């Protein structure tokens, strides 16, 4: 919910946007618009109004602003393209709750082999769910559906983090661990010598040096 200061800022943005596109916004209309838009974050509204200034001519309406709000809900066809990946049980999918629930309605038709009917069912349910979410001012929230193909998860999850759909903390346990640096020189060990690898830290180098000295000591010598 916008604070009082943010609502005042929004009034200024609405009036300025109307003026830029050749419209005039009466105070009463501005009050009603602010009341209807107060459930969104100010940066989201600022971006929507910036788009209005670029695209609209002559009239600023509440509907035009709402259409341009980036609320995290993919367009229906984009949501279907995301959801259909879940037909592959090995695939990891990052989707909104509305996409997931619409897919649940379409999945039986996919299993039956009728993808055309599945797509129609998906789009119908998805459109309704997004309409309800937008009426409640709910932003699209992304979730992960992990596939059985472990090797394929990494790129999907990293891409979602880069796009701001997921926080790194949400998926860190599912990301591949970076390759560890060897602490000793394997080739030297095969030749009977104990040597630290170039990337080993100081403590490891010291410990391996001690091990090397012990191995090089004459047999039967007391430690």
């Amino acid at each position: 919910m916008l604070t009082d200061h943010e609502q005042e800022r929004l009034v200024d943005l609405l009036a300025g946007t109307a003026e830029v596109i050749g419209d005039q916004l009466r105070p009463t209309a501005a009050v009603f618009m602010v009341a209807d838009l107060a459930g969104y974050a100010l940066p989201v509204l600022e971006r929507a109004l910036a788009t209005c200034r670029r695209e609209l001519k002559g009239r600023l309406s509440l509907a035009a602003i709402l259409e341009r709000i980036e609320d995290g809900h993919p367009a229906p066809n984009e949501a279907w393209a995301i959801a259909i990946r879940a037909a592959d049980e090995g695939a990891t999918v990052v989707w909104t709750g509305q996409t997931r629930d619409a897919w649940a309605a379409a999945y039986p038709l996919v299993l039956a082999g009728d993808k055309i009917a599945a797509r129609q069912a998906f789009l119908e349910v998805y459109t309704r769910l997004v309409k309800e979410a937008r009426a409640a001012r709910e932003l699209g929230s992304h979730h992960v559906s992990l596939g059985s193909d472990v090797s394929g998860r990494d790129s999907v999850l990293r891409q979602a983090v880069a796009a701001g759909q997921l926080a790194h903390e949400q998926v860190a346990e599912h990301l591949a661990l970076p390759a560890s640096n060897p602490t000793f020189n394997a080739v030297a060990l095969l030749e009977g010598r104990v040597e630290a690898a170039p990337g080993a830290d100081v403590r490891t180098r010291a410990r391996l040096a001690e091990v090397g000295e012990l191995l090089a000591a004459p047999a039967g010598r007391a430690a």
Side-chain angles (χ1 to χ4, degrees):
M1 190 72 178
L2 296 178
T3 64
D4 291 344
H5 175 71
E6 288 175 327
Q7 291 186 36
E8 292 174 2
R9 168 63 177 158
L10 179 57
V11 170
D12 292 338
L13 287 169
L14 289 168
T17 298
E19 185 176 350
V20 166
I21 65 175
D23 192 11
Q24 269 191 331
L25 191 65
R26 294 193 300 178
T28 303
V31 169
F32 283 127
M33 281 187 174
V34 169
D36 289 331
L37 296 171
Y40 295 102
L42 186 59
V44 172
L45 296 172
E46 288 174 336
R47 290 193 294 271
L49 288 169
T51 303
C52 287
R53 291 192 292 275
R54 292 193 299 270
E55 298 178 352
L56 297 181
K57 293 181 180 179
R59 184 169 180 269
L60 179 66
S61 67
L62 178 63
I65 298 170
L66 291 173
E67 287 174 1
R68 290 162 176 79
I69 286 179
E70 299 171 1
D71 56 7
H73 295 290
N77 286 327
E78 181 184 357
W80 168 251
I82 294 170
I84 193 63
R85 299 173 194 163
D88 178 1
E89 294 184 357
T92 290
V93 180
V94 177
W95 51 12
T96 62
Q98 290 74 24
T99 306
R100 177 197 59 210
D101 294 345
W103 173 250
Y107 187 51
L109 293 169
V110 174
L111 289 178
D114 192 345
K115 286 189 176 181
I116 294 178
R119 181 176 180 274
Q120 292 174 338
F122 174 90
L123 294 177
E124 180 180 343
V125 175
Y126 180 78
T127 300
R128 173 175 57 79
L129 292 175
V130 170
K131 183 177 180 180
E132 293 172 355
R134 284 175 171 161
R137 303 293 189 265
E138 294 177 3
L139 301 181
S141 178
H142 287 79
H143 312 275
V144 179
S145 175
L146 293 174
S148 58
D149 181 7
V150 178
S151 63
R153 292 177 187 171
D154 207 67
S155 61
V156 174
L157 296 180
R158 291 186 186 279
Q159 192 172 29
V161 171
Q165 296 172 339
L166 297 171
H168 185 271
E169 294 74 17
Q170 290 178 269
V171 300
E173 63 179 299
H174 303 300
L175 296 175
L177 295 175
S180 58
N181 294 322
T183 57
F184 59 87
N185 186 327
V187 175
L189 187 62
L190 291 174
E191 296 175 352
R193 295 177 287 109
V194 178
E195 292 182 1
D201 57 33
V202 175
R203 183 176 179 181
T204 299
R205 288 175 177 276
R207 183 56 182 157
L208 289 175
E210 293 176 3
V211 172
E213 290 177 1
L214 289 174
L215 292 177
R221 177 180 172 181

